[in-house]
Amino acid sequence: MKLIYSFMAIAGGLALGIQAVVNGGLGKRVGTIEASFISFLIGTAALFFLVVFFGKGNMLAVSEVPKWQLIGGLLGVVYVYIMVLASPTIGVASTLIAVMAGQLLMGAFIDHFGLFGGERHPLDGRKLAALALMFASIYLFNSK
């Protein structure tokens, strides 16, 4: 089962790579904030139909969750806006490697301290070396 989820995560990464160039091109034509809005609007419409036809949860339970769990959409706005802004300027690969470095850095921080109710996975030398290599790759991707 872990292998299936790993392939699903790879598929999600492939989709983000395509999304970066698609949204970046849209941003050049309609504006950065406008492209971000259009992207979220179309995504919201798609999710609406998925909820209507396949949803099995309880949307009304949203009133019972901790309020900090509702910031995911705002964090998505930050991500999409930065992708629309950065990918046409520094390229899709450079943008994605920087995004992945940020994700890994935050993920390592969350895991190390067990934040947001997650299980603790302490940082060790190997993980710190991997983070350092990721940041070195940002330099290599952007140097001439």
Side-chain angles (χ1 to χ4, degrees):
M1 195 56 133
K2 285 185 178 183
L3 191 59
I4 291 171
Y5 284 114
S6 293
F7 282 121
M8 289 172 64
I10 290 170
L14 293 170
L16 289 178
I18 296 167
Q19 181 192 38
V21 70
V22 168
N23 283 348
L26 181 63
K28 281 184 166 182
R29 292 184 182 229
V30 302
T32 305
I33 295 173
E34 294 79 3
S36 301
F37 175 76
I38 292 166
S39 178
F40 268 87
L41 185 65
I42 293 169
T44 299
L47 283 170
F48 172 77
F49 287 110
L50 286 173
V51 167
V52 168
F53 293 110
F54 301 106
K56 295 189 180 0
N58 178 8
M59 293 282 288
L60 298 177
V62 71
S63 64
E64 301 167 11
V65 302
K67 298 308 174 220
W68 63 266
Q69 290 181 345
L70 301 177
I71 66 167
L74 294 175
L75 296 171
V77 167
V78 171
Y79 169 76
V80 169
Y81 179 76
I82 289 171
M83 294 300 286
V84 171
L85 193 63
S87 62
T89 306
I90 63 173
V92 174
S94 292
T95 302
L96 289 174
I97 198 81
V99 165
M100 286 187 283
Q103 288 174 321
L104 286 172
L105 182 63
M106 183 52 69
F109 186 80
I110 290 168
D111 281 351
H112 182 74
F113 292 105
L115 300 176
F116 307 111
E119 191 174 316
R120 287 194 73 230
H121 299 278
L123 278 173
D124 58 17
R126 192 178 68 183
K127 291 176 183 176
L128 288 172
L131 288 169
L133 289 171
M134 180 66 86
F135 282 95
S137 72
I138 293 171
Y139 173 77
L140 292 173
F141 259 89
N142 289 299
S143 65
K144 300 231 183 227

